[in-house]
Amino acid sequence: MSILTSEMQDVMTKKHVLFDVAEKVEYKRELTAEEKEIAEISDAWAREIGETGKDPDCQIAAYIKKTVQDETYNAPDELLDQMFERGSVGEFDDVEYNREAKNTLIAHEAAKGGVVDRSWIDMSAVYPTWKNRQVETDLSYVDLRKNGFKSVAKLTVFMKEACQNALFYDVLVQVDNAIVGGEGKIDVAGSAPTLDAMDALALYLNDRSDDSVIVSLTKYAQAVRRMPSFAQYMSDDMKNEFNRYGLVKSYDMIGVAAISGAKRQGNGSLLIPDKRIFGIAGKVGSLDMKGDIHVFQDMNNQSEQVHVMLKDFTYGFAITKIENCAKIVLSA
């Protein structure tokens, strides 16, 4: 075992640091003293692999697995944690959820000692929608020699983001498909939200929870601020936020989570469905991660590439309280 291999094994024992280092290196953010030391060790390690074409302990795969696993399975995700009861199950296990029971019992008027029609409570089970995601790519020896750890950092960050973006998109698509009418569907004949539509959405959410969030693409969060007559409802702090960032951070005391339209999934699709503004009132269902991810690598010295495969990013989710979800649908 080389000295660098041993040092990298020590690096990978540090919890909740690996992704921070990779992300800061990728996005050129300032490193702490400890993070600089980790980056220097990792850089020498990556360049050595690029020089020799050898990684007998598959440490690139081990690094990616540990980093992505910790960030997508174990680290908090504020928005998903707000929407779902989170958990995990074994690779070969299954799960079912209890549908949130509504009080559908009816108190009939009756003569004393009489008999009335029975009413029922829906206690049926709900089974999750399971999704399994996989990412494969190549990492060239030339890139490892030229850019060192930056090559591995970029690959790790992008793999993590690809998996997390797919998960978030799948969840929002199911919410979108489940709201087909009624009070929870607010139609707007135009390409931007209106004050009436936003008020209706806020009322719907506030009637159901004091822990709600509005989720939309950034362009719609920005359009909210530009709605006629909205400025009068904004505090000075909110106005300063908008003047600085062009965004509104809350509406009627409900937080607004703006999702960048500039960031896309690898296939070019947005991170959430377009022409939609979603409202989530507290917990709406359950989300479980299944098993562990597996990362494999093949060293191909002939083509001077490392073939990297991230497999078994598996998750299951179910919307058990669709009445806690609402959406504004823009028609143009």
Side-chain angles (χ1 to χ4, degrees), residues 13-295:
T13 63
K14 299 181 183 295
K15 293 184 177 295
H16 311 302
V17 175
L18 296 184
F19 184 75
D20 287 344
V21 175
E23 190 175 45
K24 286 181 178 180
V25 168
E26 167 57 22
Y27 294 121
K28 299 178 176 61
R29 297 171 185 158
E30 188 174 350
L31 299 169
T32 66
E34 181 188 26
E35 289 168 344
K36 285 180 182 177
E37 182 181 356
I38 290 173
E40 288 170 2
I41 293 170
S42 303
D43 194 61
W45 158 76
R47 292 180 190 278
E48 183 180 77
I49 294 173
E51 288 287 348
T52 64
K54 295 179 181 179
D55 185 12
D57 297 322
C58 295
Q59 282 196 305
I60 292 176
Y63 177 89
I64 293 171
K65 173 182 168 64
K66 180 171 178 55
T67 309
V68 175
Q69 180 90 27
D70 283 349
E71 285 301 307
T72 55
Y73 281 57
N74 304 322
D77 183 299
E78 186 174 350
L79 195 51
L80 289 178
D81 291 348
Q82 186 169 352
M83 293 173 62
F84 291 101
E85 298 291 348
R86 300 290 301 270
S88 60
V89 297
E91 182 178 3
F92 306 108
D93 295 336
D94 210 340
V95 67
E96 66 178 42
Y97 310 120
N98 293 323
R99 188 184 302 278
E100 184 74 11
K102 296 181 184 178
N103 186 358
T104 50
L105 298 180
I106 303 172
H108 296 276
E109 186 176 0
K112 193 173 181 65
V115 177
V116 299
D117 292 336
R118 285 177 288 181
S119 48
W120 309 95
I121 299 175
D122 184 0
M123 304 291 287
S124 58
V126 178
Y127 295 93
T129 299
W130 288 107
K131 297 280 188 177
N132 184 68
R133 296 286 184 170
Q134 181 168 321
V135 182
E136 294 192 35
T137 189
D138 292 315
L139 182 60
S140 76
Y141 294 179
V142 172
D143 201 26
L144 285 169
R145 292 195 297 270
K146 180 179 179 181
N147 296 309
F149 178 63
K150 289 181 182 178
S151 303
V152 181
K154 183 187 292 291
L155 183 61
T156 304
V157 170
F158 284 6
M159 279 188 159
K160 177 259 184 184
E161 290 179 352
C163 291
Q164 214 161 33
N165 291 344
L167 164 58
F168 193 68
Y169 183 82
D170 286 339
V171 166
L172 265 295
V173 165
Q174 187 169 96
V175 170
D176 188 24
N177 292 338
I179 305 171
V180 294
E183 292 180 84
K185 184 172 181 285
I186 303 162
D187 293 305
V188 172
S191 59
T194 64
L195 194 61
D196 286 344
M198 289 299 297
D199 282 348
L201 180 64
L203 177 61
Y204 188 96
L205 299 177
N206 285 329
D207 273 348
R208 287 159 176 79
S209 175
D210 57 3
D211 183 28
S212 299
V213 64
I214 295 170
V215 184
S216 77
L217 291 170
T218 303
K219 61 182 178 180
Y220 301 128
Q222 187 179 59
V224 168
R225 166 59 182 86
R226 300 193 186 282
M227 293 186 307
S229 304
F230 178 62
Q232 63 183 304
Y233 300 110
M234 296 180 72
S235 67
D236 289 339
D237 287 344
M238 290 172 66
K239 290 176 181 177
N240 290 336
E241 281 281 330
F242 179 79
N243 291 334
R244 187 177 303 163
Y245 303 113
L247 299 176
V248 57
K249 300 296 184 182
S250 66
Y251 188 92
D252 199 12
M253 297 187 296
I254 300 170
V256 177
I259 308 299
S260 173
K263 292 184 178 179
R264 303 272 176 150
Q265 299 189 70
N267 60 7
S269 64
L270 294 164
L271 302 191
I272 66 172
D274 196 7
K275 299 185 179 179
R276 300 288 189 274
I277 299 174
F278 295 99
I280 309 295
K283 304 289 187 187
V284 301
S286 296
L287 168 64
D288 281 296
M289 308 306 295
K290 190 170 190 177
D292 293 334
I293 63 169
H294 297 96
V295 183

